[in-house]
Amino acid sequence: MRNTIQNFACNSWSKRLGLYVCFLLLMVGTIWAQNQTIKGTVLDANGESIIGASVLQKGTTNGTITDFEGGFILNNVPSDATIEISFVGYKTQTIPVNGRSTFNIVLKEDNEILDEVVVIGYGVQKKADLTGSVANVNADKLNTQSNANIGQALQGKIAGVDIVSQGGLPGQGTRIMVRGIGTLNNASPLYIVDGMYMTSIDHINPADIESIDVLKDASSAAIYGSRAANGVVIVTTKSGLNTEGAPIIDFSANLGVNMPSKYLDLLNAEEWASVTTKSREAAGLPPLEMAQDLANKEDNDWQDIMFNPALMQNYNLSVKGGGKYSTYYTSVGYTNQDGTMKGTNYQRYTLQSKLDLKKGIFQAGTNIVFTYDQNKPLLSDIRGGMVGQTIQSIPTLAQYDSDNAGGYGGTYGDVFNLYHPLGMADDNLMKRQEDNTKVFLNAYASIEPIKGLKYKINITPDFQFYRYNNHTEEYDFGLNTKDFTETTETQTRTRNVLVENLLTFDRTFDVHKISVLAGYTYQDTRYRYLSGGGRNMPAGISEIDASADGMSVKGNSTRSVMTSILGRVFYSYKDRYLFTATIRRDGSSKFGSNNRYGNFPSVSVGWNMAEESFIKNKLSWLDQLKIRGGYGVLGNQEIDDYQYTSVVTTGINYPDGDGELLVGAFPKNFASLDIRWEETAMTNVGIDFMAFRNRLSLTVDWYVKNTKDILLSVPIPISTGGANDPVRNAGKIRNKGFEFNIGWNDRINNDFSYSANFIGSFNRNEVINMGTDSQVITGGTIHGGTWTTRTLAGYPIAGFWLIPCDGYFNSVEEVNAHQKDGVLIQPSAQPGDIRFKDTNNDGSITDDDRVYCGSPFPDFTFSINGNVTYKNWDLAVTFQGVLGNKIYNATRLELEDVTRGGNYMSTVLDYWTPENPNASVPRLTWNDTNRNARSESDRFLEDGSYFRMRSLQIGYTFPKKWFKGFVEKARVYVSGDNLFTITSYTGYSPDVNSTNMYSRGFDEFIYPNSRTFMMGINVTF
């Protein structure tokens, strides 16, 4: 019985196991039968095979690429799956399998790149329709997350646009020049942000920017007439979109550290004492008091004390959205940047709010841009500024001394009467603060009564309020003392109103495309200046009303008005033949009634050769080949108001002949009734080329820019009685150049893509004439009034004119051999002194021996940009550099001049001796009878060429599925700016760019540029 039961159990178990196995085999068979192998070919519209196209089962990693014949085989594909086919330059297709096994797929070309629009004056235009030179950069190519201002982000991104940092001071902006300097007045371009005219874009929050377009030639910029001679930079900020009521929230934050990119090698206490003692011994003088008894003195590295790593942080929050009839965008931003130098800081608060309404034929909107920035600037009204005073400070100067007013150490003996570095940075002793508020408002309304015809009115008022307060308490820095308190305050207020009436017609009729613009604009600008001050207020009180004496006040105001009529016509036939003509007539109150109006026309043509059948049918790899050319005239009115009339100054005392004084007035400026607009005529020829499914791109432009009737001050005899030279139209400048941008972008598959481009610009700047043969403007002035640059006909603006050095005198015989007609050319020279060239052969070294030594403008400016994306990782890098420019290193002049009682660079340790004839510096001597450190020699002129790793950023985007729908996108990144610079220049930084164009390449204690390391996050909800 027991065996029977066991046999029954075994048989039952066997049967059940067999059933289970059969069931599993059936299921596997069913699944296998549902999956299949598919194959096919991928071709273009002309039947050509597409090699390397991606074929992917959507939603999975199951994929392949096409072979050399465009064929593919993909295994294990469910019958109900969807495959996705993609390739660079073509529109991606998704195709359901539906049980099929064979596919013949034709991809359509993606002309999105050619169909992209760029912003031009008072409108937009397809890239393919452009006839002028317009550069476009989208925000995603700017790496704006790690830049405090947009100028920094633009460096190295646009050919023909020179963007140079104006130093590493927190909040310091950049200087932008489009195709060189074509004027001796304000050479900044016109900035337009969402239709609002601005003098700078450094205050704009980079996180708000959508795109930037630069109008570089006359044919594209002439619609702005007299404002556009220096180019036009158009910034478009982000806008709302139809989200069906659901808001999109973006938050970004970054935190970083700035540190000086370079420290100069200065002397310590022992080295300084040794050098000064040897220098003074050579002149028969005793050692300096501050160079003795070093064991009981401090040894301070003032550069290291005053320059330290500094924190930088940015926070931005934006909300955008909308519905069918309205969209909105609102953002707030905050930036806080400590300076690498003690006592400096910059903070910025930004707000932007956009609202756009549209229903039927009506459209309206508003835009508000608000910026408030607060700055703790350098103490600048001293020789060399805070940077110069710091690095010249003597190592043995004590940091603190409680016996001195203010509590800091003091200098004594035969040394410089410098400010104490720590005292300059102490807010309790010297407090400086700038407050700047800018409010830009825009309201517009438009109506489109018939298709393509639109009338639009823009009303744009803006207000700017600036305040600078400087308060100083009593202090005792030894040789530099102040025994009274003092406060000065400056306030300015600017109010501007711009009204624009625009009528546009834009239609396409079969193969004819027509766009017409007509407009009238009115602008009224008012400015008021007020300054006051006082002395001897009680300690700790900085109000001017508390002054016991020395109270003063001054102020003035100006007003200028401009009216304009403008028009533009664009015509395209079959998208092949393009024509654009523009005219603008401006009237400005800055000129007298006989020259108040100016006309600024332009014309340009383009030929899209790639659209011709004889090319299109034969060169399937060619996507675009366009030749374009244009000519136009632009204007410039960037001079002070009321130059055409005589300004009378009152409160002038005149002797009456009887020992008494009479109060009277005299004309400070002589009237310049005939001054008129500067005019810039520009010719531009360019080529736009794209090939291999838009992967290869090339843009090339050649231009000549001639500026005539330049407004400049012409010297008049002092005997005329005028305080200032009158302004005249008396100059002509030419800029001629060539620029290119060559790029390659490719997507290997859905996981990996990359792009790279090389940008280069050649520009030659030359002054053709200056009104008179003898007219010369000097600049680059060192203390004592010695100039280093000249602007004159036949040479570039601010070219260096210096006396050449010719090595050292290594013996008395060499000194005696340097003579003319038996007379020593340098009678005070000794062995170890510099031999200067007597270039005019007159037997003496004078200013007449100066020769042209080079230009501050580079011959070639270039950049290399690269981007790589792999799955969720992304990398962006920019290299940038210049070649061929010169820099006058006045910082080195100050720090190698051993006749001064300050600190020196370590190069002075390598001084001339008979045993060291190839030294870095001449012999050490305190009196320098040969004037080895003369500032008019080329001893301190250096090559300004450099190659820099401008930026590097690595980011990671988290998979969206991690956040289960709560977060739309989240990305973290790390970045570095100014990571290294290869240069032979010995100063802090080779990108020297003074705000004074006559001192562009003149470096006198510029604030060091910073190297920045940053990490950040971007989140979209």
Side-chain angles (χ1 to χ4, degrees), residues 144 147-150 201-209 237 314-317 329 331-335 348 350-352 369 371:
T144 55
N147 291 278
N149 70 65
I150 194 60
I201 55 174
D202 289 325
H203 63 283
I204 298 296
N205 186 353
D208 287 334
I209 292 178
T237 63
N314 293 283
Y315 304 96
N316 299 288
L317 177 67
Y329 174 84
S331 72
V332 292
Y334 173 69
T335 296
R348 182 182 66 208
T350 63
L351 167 69
Q352 180 166 11
V369 177
T371 303

Side-chain angles (χ1 to χ4, degrees), residues 508-521:
T508 299
F509 303 96
D510 194 17
V511 295
H512 305 279
K513 186 185 299 182
I514 300 173
S515 179
V516 181
L517 165 70
Y520 170 79
T521 73

